[in-house]
Amino acid sequence: MFGMEDFLDFAAETLGVPKGTLTPETAYGSIPEWDSVMHLRLVMETEARSGSSIPLEEVPNLKTLGDFAPYFKS
């Protein structure tokens, strides 16, 4: 199982920001790198990396990196 720190490192890599700069409270749109295109990429990469499936209707509810936690599991 992946932990939050693992996800934050993964999110930093996906968004192209330095590791250690993101927190679970980092919100969509709060950094320039996390725009609508990168939001969808983060969803798809999370699914691919963890083998989870994020229901389409849940995607708009993923407003912070912490919201991704239930989906980032092994």
Side-chain angles (χ1 to χ4, degrees):
M1 183 148 110
F2 300 103
M4 181 52 74
E5 287 303 314
D6 297 315
F7 179 71
L8 294 176
D9 288 346
F10 162 78
E13 180 181 320
T14 301
L15 295 171
V17 299
K19 287 183 180 181
T21 61
L22 302 176
T23 69
E25 293 78 30
T26 301
Y28 167 72
S30 67
I31 59 172
E33 295 83 1
W34 193 0
D35 60 14
S36 59
V37 172
M38 289 307 286
H39 187 73
L40 293 177
R41 181 172 176 209
L42 189 57
V43 168
M44 292 184 299
E45 295 288 336
T46 298
E47 291 178 324
R49 174 80 178 262
S50 65
S52 64
S53 180
I54 300 173
L56 187 57
E57 62 271 7
E58 286 300 311
V59 172
N61 298 326
L62 300 173
K63 298 180 190 289
T64 68
L65 292 177
D67 294 337
F68 281 82
Y71 302 104
F72 198 73
K73 299 178 180 179
S74 61

